[in-house]
Amino acid sequence: MAARTRPHYVFIVKGNRPALRTRLADLPWQTIPVVDEVRGRGHGRVETRTLQLCAITGPGGRGIGFPHARLAARIIRRRRPIDSAKRWSTETVYAVTSLGFADVRAHQLAEIIREHWHVENRLHWVRDVTFAEDLSQIRTGTGPAVMAVLRNLAISRHRLAGASNIAAACRDTARHPLRAVDLLT
C-alpha cells in the first residue's frame, strides 16, 4: 500500500487573522538569518525583498495554531520610487506553509509567495476596485457566490479577448452592449 501524500499549501497571513499574525511576529526573527534576497527595478521603483524561514515546533503545526504548518516565513519588502529622495517604505508579510526545509528551497518558496501577489493584483484587486465587490449589498443565500462567479466570468472573458485593462474593457462593453455577445461566444 502506497503512503498517502497530502497536498501542500502556502498561506499569506493577513490582518483578518490577528492572533496568528501576532504569533508569527513573535517568533525569534532577530536570530534567524535571511535565506533569500532579491533586488529589483521596475514599475518606477526600486525594491528589495528578503525572506527568512523558521521551522514551526509542535506536532502538526500546533506550535502556532495552524494545521499541518511546518515553516513560517517573514518577507520584508522595502521600496522607493526610482530617482527619488523619498524615504524607503517597508512592509512585513508573514506566511505559513506545510512545506518543510526538505521539500522546498528558499528561492522557490520566495517565488511561490511572489506569485500570490500576481493573483492578488490580477484578480482580487480587479474584483475589489473595478467591480466594487466589497460594496455589494447582496448578502444572503447563494447570491454572493453567484455574483463572484459572474464577476470572475466577466474578468476571464475580457482577458481571453485580449483586454489588459478590465475597467476600460467594461466601459467599452457598456457603451456597445452587443460586444458582450462576442465575449460569450
Side-chain angles (χ1 to χ4, degrees), residues 60-78:
R62 281 180 257 151
I64 61 161
F66 200 87
H68 309 290
R70 293 174 59 199
L71 290 176
R74 179 170 86 163
I75 303 98
I76 298 176
R77 294 193 300 235
R78 295 183 67 229

Side-chain angles (χ1 to χ4, degrees), residues 120-139:
E120 183 74 25
N121 291 337
R122 287 187 50 91
L123 178 62
H124 299 291
W125 187 87
V126 172
R127 283 173 50 178
D128 290 345
V129 176
T130 302
F131 289 102
E133 186 172 60
D134 292 342
L135 299 176
S136 175
Q137 297 294 310
I138 301 169
R139 302 194 197 298

Side-chain angles (χ1 to χ4, degrees), residues 51-95:
L51 172 69
Q52 295 169 281
L53 297 174
C54 178
I56 298 172
T57 59
R62 281 180 257 151
I64 61 161
F66 200 87
H68 309 290
R70 293 174 59 199
L71 290 176
R74 179 170 86 163
I75 303 98
I76 298 176
R77 294 193 300 235
R78 295 183 67 229
R79 63 177 64 122
R80 71 172 172 79
I82 292 176
D83 300 329
S84 174
K86 288 186 177 180
R87 294 180 185 230
W88 288 85
S89 67
T90 302
E91 178 184 20
T92 302
V93 176
Y94 297 98

Side-chain angles (χ1 to χ4, degrees), residues 122 154-170 183:
R122 287 187 50 91
I155 293 166
S156 297
R157 296 309 300 181
H158 281 302
R159 292 231 190 269
L160 287 171
S164 58
N165 182 329
I166 301 301
C170 288
L183 289 174

Side-chain angles (χ1 to χ4, degrees), residues 5 22 32 60-61 74 97 100 112 148 165 178-179 182:
T5 60
T22 298
I32 298 171
R74 179 170 86 163
T97 180
I112 290 167
N165 182 329
L178 293 178
R179 290 185 185 168
D182 293 335

Side-chain angles (χ1 to χ4, degrees), residues 25 27-33 52 74:
L27 290 172
W29 296 111
Q30 296 76 17
T31 63
I32 298 171
Q52 295 169 281
R74 179 170 86 163

